Amino acid sequence: PGLLLAALPAMAAAYVSARAAGRKARPWTLLWAAGCVALLAVPALRDSAWPSTLAVLAAVLLAALALHGTRRWPGVLLAPIGFLGSAVAGVGWAWA
């Protein structure tokens, strides 16, 4: 349950930040975010290692896709790399 409880405020903060930057939530972005929440509910419901591991990894991939919001296959496949780059930049922004 801890992952789910940590991810929900992070998703809300990402949504508020995107709205403040002038971005609108597209239907596919909301669908990817809902899928991420559903996948993060798996470790809260199941006490098994392999379904929980797969669900968390898939949730990270869906979160990357939701945050980058691409519409083409190369962007879908490269979204996790952009997610890592954004995480590094976010740490620098938070430090400043």
Side-chain angles (χ1 to χ4, degrees):
L3 284 174
L4 185 60
L5 292 175
L8 290 176
M11 287 181 182
Y15 178 76
V16 169
S17 297
R19 295 292 292 175
R23 292 183 61 192
K24 293 181 183 179
R26 291 179 286 194
W28 281 106
T29 303
L30 296 175
L31 181 69
W32 299 137
C36 183
V37 169
L39 285 168
L40 286 177
V42 170
L45 300 174
R46 300 279 302 175
D47 191 25
S48 180
W50 71 270
S52 297
T53 303
L54 289 176
V56 169
L57 290 174
V60 168
L61 295 175
L62 280 181
L65 188 58
L67 286 174
H68 286 280
T70 185
R71 295 180 186 203
R72 296 196 170 37
W73 281 108
V76 170
L77 297 174
L78 297 174
I81 296 169
F83 185 66
L84 291 175
S86 298
V88 171
V91 169
W93 175 80
W95 186 264

